[in-house]
Amino acid sequence: DMLLAGDLDAIFCASPPAPFAKGDPCMVRLCPDSRAIEEAYFRDTGIYPIMHVIVIRGDVYRRDRWVARSLYDAFEESKNRCISRVSAVGSQVPIPWCYDEVRRIGEMMFPDGDYWPYGVEPNRRTLEAFLRFCHDQGVSRRKLTVEELFAPETLVAARE
């Protein structure tokens, strides 16, 4: 509503606002061919934007440290099941060429076959860039290390 009223010039969001999705001409993409730009950025930097972070309340983690590893394992299994579903020929996703698109993206971004790899090492470049940006932009008072972000139990999980 604020975009349509002119109170905001732009927004950054994961899902398009309803008016944009319905074709409202008052809303346009800042970068019309955003996919080409995103693919070029990935090819140039190797950085894939991290979309989600799982956080455990401190009191829960201190009481039951096993929760971190259990969550890590559960999300890894969920991711693997999702990839298996969408990459299978005759996919459960009723979109033409879905299988080919999943394969194309995999070849470009995840040549080792691990779509959206979890853990520190496969994401180190992205995480270090994130922490550098946070520090440079004043979000963090000091430049944090990647290892400071994660429960030690999940660091071990990523190496196994």
Side-chain angles (χ1 to χ4, degrees):
D1 291 340
M2 292 175 74
L3 272 174
L4 292 174
D7 296 329
L8 293 175
D9 294 325
I11 60 170
F12 181 79
C13 57
S15 300
F20 176 83
K22 291 176 183 172
D24 189 316
C26 294
M27 289 188 187
V28 297
R29 289 188 183 275
L30 181 61
C31 303
D33 194 1
S34 58
R35 181 169 178 161
I37 294 167
E38 291 169 0
E39 286 182 13
Y41 181 78
F42 178 80
R43 279 193 300 276
D44 292 346
T45 66
I47 294 174
Y48 179 76
I50 294 173
M51 307 253 183
H52 302 87
V53 176
I54 305 299
V55 178
I56 303 168
R57 249 184 26 219
D59 63 318
V60 171
Y61 175 67
R62 285 187 294 278
R63 185 184 66 234
D64 297 310
R65 292 181 66 104
W66 57 267
V67 169
R69 176 63 188 259
S70 291
L71 276 173
Y72 181 97
D73 292 343
F75 277 93
E76 181 76 24
E77 176 67 19
S78 176
K79 173 192 73 166
N80 290 338
R81 288 181 183 195
C82 173
I83 295 304
S84 180
R85 281 192 311 273
V86 300
S87 62
V89 176
S91 171
Q92 295 176 15
V93 180
I95 298 173
W97 312 293
C98 180
Y99 171 77
D100 293 329
E101 190 62 11
V102 170
R103 185 180 40 76
R104 184 187 80 77
I105 292 168
E107 289 170 355
M108 177 184 73
M109 299 182 76
F110 311 108
D112 66 353
D114 186 7
Y115 284 69
W116 307 292
Y118 290 175
V120 169
E121 288 314 316
N123 294 291
R124 185 169 289 280
R125 180 182 294 177
T126 301
L127 293 165
E128 287 175 346
F130 169 76
L131 293 173
R132 185 175 64 251
F133 298 152
C134 283
H135 183 254
D136 291 350
Q137 296 171 17
V139 175
S140 62
R141 292 180 192 174
R142 65 177 177 83
K143 189 169 179 238
L144 299 167
T145 66
V146 171
E147 287 74 15
E148 290 177 89
L149 299 179
F150 300 97
E153 296 81 2
T154 62
L155 297 173
V156 172
R159 290 192 290 266
E160 293 176 351

